[in-house]
Amino acid sequence: REVRVTKHRARVVCTTERSGVEMGRTDDSPRQSIALGAHKTKSKEFYDIVRHIGECKNKSDEDSIMRREVMMLRTVLTGPKLEKAKLKEYLIRLMYVEMLGHDAAFGYIHAVKATNESDVSLKRVGYLATSAFLDENHELIILIVNTVQQDLKSDNYLVVCAALTTICRLVNEETIPAVLPQVTELLNHPQMHVRKKAVMALHKFHLKSPSSVSHLHGKFRQMLCDKDPSVMSAALCALHDLTISDPGPQKNLVPSFVSILKQVVEHRLPKSYDYHRVPAPFIQIRLLKILAALGAADQKAATEMYSVLSAVLKKGDNQSSIGNAIVYECVRTAASIYPSPVLLEHCAGVVSRFVKSSNNNLKYAGLDALSCIVNINPNYATEHQMAVVDCLTDPDESLRKKTLDLLYRMTKSNNVEVIVDKMMDFLRDATDHHLREETATRIGELAERYAPSTQWFINTMNVLFEVGGDVVKQSTAHNLMALIAEGSGEDANDATLRRSAVAAYLGLISKPRIPRVLFEVILWVVGEYGTLSGQSPQALMDTLCTAVEAQPEGDAVQAQAMTACAKLAVAGGGQLSEKATKLVNRNLNSRSIDRQQRAYEITALLRENPALVAAALPQDASCEDLEVNPALPALDAYVNKALAEGASAYLQPSERSTGLREAGGGGLSHEVAGSLRFDAYDAPAPDRGIAATPAAPSGGMRLSSTGGTWGEPAGRSAPPTTAPRFEPPQAPEDDRTQLASALFSGVGAPPPPQVPRAPPPPAPRSDMDLLMGLDAPTPTAAAPPPPPPTDLLAGLSVGEGSAPAPANFSLDALYGGAPAQTGAGGFDLLGGGSVGMVGGHAMMPQGAGASASPKPGQSGGAMNGGTPKSANKKKDPFADLLG
């Protein structure tokens, strides 16, 4: 054992010495000098603190260590003699204190001072600590603006990168103008890291204050042509946000984005950008999101994307996690742009592997992708109907929720009953409040939109109120009451409907606990149509009063209960029952103003003659037409009396202005006598926007309420009360097959035959239809896009001449040219001219042939080897990006 330990130590020592020698050979390297400086400044106390924090068993032990550390750091940093050699370690320990939730404000100023030090290592730690300690609105930000401006001009690119990183973290709208010119100049810096961080800083400026960099949007297009892929990737992030906010100005970049994506998929980038053998997956995903925004409802732009999207689907389908992510994003893009049947068919085939996977994460992604495709054509879901049925019974709640989202988008009138039943089962088991509320809302929407009959709708709403009454919205209850009140227009059917509703609610009112929203519906229905049940009004009033006293929500609905009893009293001869009288008398002294007012009004009203009471509380008059006379003849006696006593007559606004204008020269008219005089000013112009109200017609104005469907505004037609109900297959193979047949019965098949009767006009699509895109017709060809706006850099010309530019620029030209043969050349990232092999690309060394150095009119980033001279003469690589 001692021999093995000795050999191990010897190897460690040899390795350390060899590393030291290698590092000693390049002492002028900034990175190695920083590493050596960091090694020198580490102390035993630093390692002990980190070790003790990691060994803590509970929070109290950690807090005690941090309190001792805070006391020590406060003493050292506020002392008269502070060693600069240890300042970097103190700042790092301060960051530990801050990250673990303790106050380190006493050391903020030392972090700001460290940014002014000449030592690169200490300066970078100072910037790091400042970014961790401060925020954009901190009062110390003003102290580092001057330091950042100086460091942005530094010759050391590490200092410039540290300053740019701090700008991205601490910049605010007021400090952007102070650093914007210098950041813009750094876009031409020879170091790729500086250019990348400069693009990121401009992107941050756009997020903070879009107006401050609105004139620099062309710079993002220019950096898209940078020879380094990391700079191009940073420009893609900025262009993505610009495209999401306003796709119009970026429409002319579609060929460029398609070309970049195509060349990325073909492994044109260096291999260092590969992840699990997938070329630059995050760049691909960013490009797919940009294309999804640019191709929406634009057939011309979408046509250019179809081929590259098919290639991405084919290359990304390699069953790895990152490949699945690319396939998922590609499917969402294909569903967002102008649809292509061939591409959607390809997407549906790829998604089938997700849906049928045993991995719940892949199933979830597959269901979400399938729901995007179903919005365009529901037929694509029929192939996966059995897999969807299996997901309905999965123990994973999130997976069942996503399955119901898919079924929600597939709902039709012939499968609404099965889908609503499944959603009811999910609502019973769900525990999350927001999830229950969303599910209850969707059940109400589906029942209102696709109900096969009015009776089924009422029964479904009753079950919904009973199961999820705590999350059902008030609008759903109002829609149900409106449906019962309006009916279908046929007296016999309406009477049967209301009688069954009263019977159902009288059975529910005896349950021990009723949700408030359902209780309010019961009180209203029994008060309006309770006598249809055959019971006497006195018995119905006693039943309602007993329920109010027994139910936990009884106190909250006492006002509605009194109104219901008053309506039943009108039907029973104008007398309240004994329990109803006690309820009204108890509320005469209620602290609730509403309940007290209702109690007094009901008491006073029932003392009047029966005709007046019947007129004030009519039976079944919720949806009757109201006759309104805008002339208000009932006020004629009051107006005539006031005029006789000397009051001024009412003047229309236009008449008032006319009176002032006529009185402007020789004093005011008698209507405005005694008011302030404005003789020194011109009379106001007449108000032409307000005209005199025309005289009311003799018959008055009639405001009629047209019968409509439940939950819709007046004027919409109600669905037929009788509709063919869905009949499941007579001889199913098993329960799963029967459920799948019921769920997908309306997908890909013609609707069942309707009863031969005059169909009512179709109900208008609701806002949720428009939001979710349900029943969306096949998109028609989009109108040609408007001409692109004038580009700020449209006149930019690289090189001499004005020859037309190629249609698509090439990543080969930007990142090293065509794939090289084995052992031939290399890819010079820094442009030093050395021959190397990176990512399978070759670049000719400088001095090799006439094309080694670019001539005027040629792009320095393009590969010149093997290209005819005529092709390189006036080639402009920015033409397709910059116009």
Side-chain angles (χ1 to χ4, degrees):
R1 193 188 325 173
E2 292 177 358
V3 172
R4 288 198 300 269
V5 172
T6 303
K7 290 182 179 179
H8 174 70
R9 289 177 178 174
R11 287 196 300 270
V12 172
V13 171
C14 291
T15 304
T16 306
E17 291 177 353
R18 184 168 61 254
S19 302
V21 171
E22 292 176 355
M23 295 175 65
R25 293 176 185 172
T26 56
D27 289 338
D28 55 343
S29 173
R31 291 182 179 272
Q32 293 167 356
S33 62
I34 290 173
L36 288 174
H39 179 73
K40 292 177 182 178
T41 55
K42 295 176 182 177
S43 64
K44 181 178 181 299
E45 291 81 3
F46 175 77
Y47 288 109
D48 289 341
I49 291 173
V50 176
R51 179 169 55 83
H52 291 159
I53 292 174
E55 294 174 353
C56 289
K57 302 297 183 182
N58 49 50
K59 188 68 167 63
S60 60
D61 295 344
E62 180 185 290
D63 290 342
S64 62
I65 295 174
M66 285 295 100
R67 281 193 293 268
R68 292 196 300 269
E69 182 70 10
V70 168
M71 293 177 61
M72 190 277 297
L73 291 174
R74 189 187 297 272
T75 303
V76 172
L77 294 177
T78 56
K81 296 181 179 181
L82 178 61
E83 300 181 17
K84 288 188 177 181
K86 293 186 177 181
L87 179 58
K88 184 173 70 172
E89 179 183 334
Y90 293 151
L91 292 178
I92 296 175
R93 291 162 74 169
L94 275 174
M95 284 191 283
Y96 268 95
V97 171
E98 188 82 7
M99 286 188 296
L100 294 177
H102 295 264
D103 185 20
F106 60 88
Y108 291 177
I109 188 63
H110 295 281
V112 174
K113 289 180 179 178
T115 60
N116 291 314
E117 297 293 336
S118 58
D119 182 59
V120 177
S121 176
L122 181 56
K123 179 185 287 287
R124 296 183 69 191
V125 172
Y127 274 126
L128 177 62
T130 302
S131 300
F133 292 155
L134 308 182
D135 58 75
E136 61 181 26
N137 298 319
H138 198 276
E139 56 186 6
L140 294 179
I141 292 296
I142 192 65
L143 300 179
I144 68 171
V145 173
N146 188 37
T147 304
V148 168
Q149 289 177 333
Q150 295 176 0
D151 289 341
L152 289 177
K153 302 176 182 178
S154 174
D155 296 332
N156 191 334
Y157 79 95
L158 295 177
V159 175
V160 179
C161 289
L164 288 173
T165 304
T166 305
I167 286 175
C168 294
R169 174 69 177 84
L170 301 179
V171 70
N172 55 36
E173 193 170 356
E174 297 177 356
T175 57
I176 287 177
V179 297
L180 181 59
Q182 294 173 325
V183 173
T184 306
E185 293 176 1
L186 292 176
L187 294 175
N188 299 320
H189 197 276
Q191 258 301 334
M192 59 181 179
H193 301 293
V194 176
R195 296 198 303 273
K196 179 182 69 174
K197 290 185 178 292
V199 173
M200 296 170 62
L202 288 180
H203 185 197
K204 189 70 173 182
F205 296 167
H206 168 72
L207 297 178
K208 291 289 183 181
S209 176
S211 59
S212 63
V213 293
S214 59
H215 61 290
L216 297 176
H217 290 175
K219 293 292 185 182
F220 296 130
R221 295 183 169 216
Q222 182 178 355
M223 300 314 292
L224 197 63
C225 299
D226 195 277
K227 64 182 180 180
D228 188 78
S230 63
V231 182
M232 181 267 293
S233 177
L236 280 178
C237 296
L239 289 172
H240 171 259
D241 288 348
L242 292 176
T243 303
I244 296 299
S245 59
D246 187 11
Q250 318 302 331
K251 289 283 187 180
N252 57 350
L253 285 179
V254 171
S256 302
F257 290 135
V258 170
S259 178
I260 294 175
L261 181 57
K262 181 179 180 180
Q263 297 177 62
V264 169
V265 172
E266 294 174 354
H267 289 267
R268 302 292 183 89
L269 292 186
K271 287 187 177 180
S272 58
Y273 288 88
D274 289 2
Y275 180 77
H276 289 272
R277 300 183 181 180
V278 177
F282 303 105
I283 295 180
Q284 290 191 50
I285 292 175
R286 184 69 63 179
L287 284 168
L288 289 172
K289 291 182 177 180
I290 294 175
L291 294 179
L294 292 176
D298 190 340
Q299 185 177 9
K300 180 180 178 181
T303 304
E304 302 180 25
M305 307 175 189
Y306 293 154
S307 60
V308 70
L309 291 180
S310 297
V312 172
L313 277 174
K314 188 179 300 183
K315 297 280 187 178
D317 193 11
N318 58 2
Q319 298 187 4
S320 64
S321 297
I322 191 64
N324 293 334
I326 293 177
V327 169
Y328 169 76
E329 194 62 43
C330 191
V331 172
R332 289 176 57 89
T333 301
S336 300
I337 64 177
Y338 190 90
S340 167
V342 177
L343 182 60
L344 290 177
E345 189 71 28
H346 190 183
C347 293
V350 174
V351 168
S352 63
R353 181 173 61 84
F354 289 5
V355 178
K356 297 175 182 179
S357 173
S358 59
N359 188 344
N360 280 357
N361 293 329
L362 281 182
K363 280 186 179 180
Y364 188 93
L367 290 172
D368 188 72
L370 190 59
S371 64
C372 297
I373 302 176
V374 165
N375 283 339
I376 302 175
N377 190 347
N379 293 333
Y380 294 113
T382 55
E383 179 184 351
H384 316 293
Q385 54 185 352
M386 300 309 300
V388 172
V389 171
D390 292 339
C391 293
L392 284 174
T393 58
D394 195 277
D396 190 346
E397 182 178 354
S398 61
L399 192 59
R400 297 200 309 272
K401 169 64 170 53
K402 182 56 65 176
T403 307
L404 292 175
D405 291 344
L406 173 61
L407 296 179
Y408 173 77
R409 291 169 171 81
M410 296 167 47
T411 305
K412 304 294 178 184
S413 58
N414 44 11
N415 62 359
V416 64
E417 299 178 57
V418 182
I419 293 179
V420 167
D421 288 343
K422 291 300 177 182
M423 298 180 78
M424 285 288 189
D425 295 339
F426 179 80
L427 183 61
R428 290 188 180 93
D429 299 334
T431 56
D432 183 74
H433 177 78
H434 299 286
L435 188 57
R436 286 172 54 83
E437 183 177 1
E438 181 183 4
T439 305
T441 302
R442 288 189 168 185
I443 291 174
E445 292 171 358
L446 294 180
E448 293 176 12
R449 192 180 306 145
Y450 301 112
S453 65
T454 307
Q455 184 62 50
W456 178 88
F457 175 78
I458 293 176
N459 296 336
T460 302
M461 289 294 101
N462 293 342
V463 177
L464 176 61
F465 292 148
E466 186 176 357
V467 174
D470 55 327
V471 293
V472 175
K473 297 180 179 179
Q474 287 286 343
S475 59
T476 305
H478 295 163
N479 296 341
L480 175 60
M481 292 186 287
L483 169 66
I484 297 175
E486 293 174 359
S488 61
E490 300 180 3
D491 295 340
N493 294 336
D494 293 346
T496 303
L497 170 67
R498 293 161 183 167
R499 189 180 302 108
S500 62
V502 171
Y505 289 140
L506 289 178
L508 289 175
I509 203 171
S510 60
K511 291 193 174 183
R513 184 178 182 85
I514 302 176
R516 177 177 177 177
V517 62
L518 178 58
F519 206 171
E520 292 176 352
V521 174
I522 292 174
L523 292 174
W524 183 85
V525 172
V526 174
E528 290 284 343
Y529 310 106
T531 54
L532 296 176
S533 63
Q535 300 184 28
S536 64
Q538 305 295 326
L540 292 173
M541 283 187 278
D542 291 342
T543 302
L544 295 181
C545 294
T546 302
V548 168
E549 296 175 358
Q551 291 291 335
E553 298 288 347
D555 291 340
V557 295
Q558 287 193 24
Q560 292 88 335
M562 287 189 292
T563 303
C565 291
K567 290 185 177 181
L568 291 172
V570 174
Q575 295 295 327
L576 294 172
S577 67
E578 182 178 355
K579 291 186 177 181
T581 303
K582 292 181 179 180
L583 176 64
V584 173
N585 293 337
R586 186 167 61 248
N587 283 279
L588 290 175
N589 299 321
S590 174
R591 293 185 177 182
S592 173
I593 301 299
D594 177 42
R595 286 154 58 178
Q596 188 182 60
Q597 181 178 354
R598 291 200 190 198
Y600 275 103
E601 289 176 352
I602 291 173
T603 302
L605 185 60
L606 293 179
R607 294 173 183 170
E608 302 293 336
N609 60 77
L612 179 60
V613 176
L617 298 173
Q619 292 291 320
D620 190 18
S622 301
C623 297
E624 288 188 357
D625 298 337
L626 298 178
E627 294 184 0
V628 179
N629 188 350
L632 301 178
L635 299 179
D636 289 344
Y638 173 80
V639 172
N640 294 333
K641 180 180 178 182
L643 291 175
E645 294 176 355
S648 300
Y650 175 76
L651 295 178
Q652 296 291 341
S654 58
E655 296 176 357
R656 301 174 206 168
S657 302
T658 304
L660 287 175
R661 185 173 62 252
E662 293 175 352
L668 296 175
S669 60
H670 66 87
E671 287 86 0
V672 292
S675 303
L676 294 177
R677 298 177 62 87
F678 298 95
D679 295 337
Y681 302 94
D682 295 331
D687 189 352
R688 303 183 182 274
I690 304 177
T693 302
S698 59
M701 185 169 65
R702 180 179 179 84
L703 301 179
S704 59
S705 174
T706 306
T709 61
W710 48 87
E712 302 292 347
R716 301 187 180 186
S717 60
T721 57
T722 59
R725 298 177 62 86
F726 168 75
E727 294 294 341
Q730 298 298 326
E733 297 178 1
D734 53 13
D735 293 340
R736 293 170 64 252
T737 306
Q738 179 180 0
L739 180 57
S741 177
L743 289 174
F744 295 86
S745 60
V747 180
Q754 301 291 336
V755 178
R757 54 175 298 179
R765 297 171 61 195
S766 65
D767 294 338
M768 183 56 66
D769 284 330
L770 300 177
L771 179 62
M772 302 304 297
L774 293 175
D775 298 335
T778 303
T780 57
T790 303
D791 195 346
L792 293 174
L793 298 181
L796 180 62
S797 176
V798 180
E800 58 187 3
S802 58
N808 295 325
F809 77 96
S810 173
L811 288 184
D812 292 337
L814 297 178
Y815 307 138
Q821 301 296 329
T822 305
F827 183 52
D828 188 7
L829 285 175
L830 301 180
S834 59
V835 178
M837 187 67 185
V838 181
H841 297 270
M843 176 169 283
M844 295 297 295
Q846 299 207 18
S851 60
S853 59
K855 298 179 180 180
Q858 297 178 356
S859 172
M863 176 179 176
N864 299 323
T867 306
K869 185 177 296 185
S870 60
N872 289 335
K873 186 174 182 181
K874 295 182 179 181
K875 183 177 181 180
D876 186 357
F878 302 102
D880 57 335
L881 296 179
L882 307 175

